[in-house]
Amino acid sequence: EATVKRLAAEAEMQQKMWDLFVPEGGIRFGDRRFWVLLSIVLGLHAANMYKDSRKPRDLGLPEGAVRRLPDGGLLLADGSIAKNAEAAPAAQHTLHRVREAGEDDTALGSALRKMKD
């Protein structure tokens, strides 16, 4: 009888864990899991936006340019691409650049690195 009660308690705990981590019915708007997921997403978004706002801009870019592309062109703030032939050899592009540890790191990446260290 004690074994049956123990197995029933374990099965109940497993069912609770399954219901928590595998929402078969989906996550509804008023559900607690929805608000937890939303707060995590918004928190990570806010942390990344704050980090991006404190990042220094590339020096030597003309007005309205966001970054230098690998082919030497410039990505402008309105989303268009402008060719800038005279500036292409003088400056290196900023995409696909190997980052050092801790440089331009996202909030999640730095949290994982701190947990590993």
Side-chain angles (χ1 to χ4, degrees):
E1 187 176 317
T3 304
V4 172
K5 287 183 181 180
R6 182 180 53 83
L7 289 175
E10 288 177 4
E12 185 179 333
M13 178 58 79
Q14 288 176 355
Q15 185 63 42
K16 284 182 182 178
M17 296 303 282
W18 182 263
D19 291 341
L20 178 66
F21 292 113
V22 184
E24 292 173 350
I27 297 177
R28 292 174 192 63
F29 179 70
D31 194 8
R32 181 180 53 164
R33 289 173 288 192
F34 170 79
W35 296 110
V36 169
L37 181 62
L38 182 65
S39 63
I40 290 171
V41 168
L42 291 177
L44 289 173
H45 177 69
N48 282 331
M49 291 298 291
Y50 174 74
K51 194 167 199 174
D52 283 346
S53 70
R54 297 186 47 104
K55 184 171 38 173
R57 291 284 181 199
D58 288 337
L59 298 176
L61 290 178
E63 186 67 31
V66 176
R67 76 172 66 144
R68 190 167 309 282
L69 299 174
D71 65 353
L74 296 170
L75 176 65
L76 301 178
D78 63 358
S80 63
I81 296 174
K83 294 290 181 187
N84 192 354
E86 63 272 358
Q92 197 176 19
H93 66 84
T94 57
L95 292 176
H96 311 298
R97 181 170 59 90
V98 178
R99 294 186 295 182
E100 300 297 325
E103 176 190 3
D104 295 339
D105 205 5
T106 60
L108 186 58
S110 62
L112 290 173
R113 185 173 299 106
K114 287 177 184 177
M115 286 175 36
K116 275 200 295 189
D117 294 343

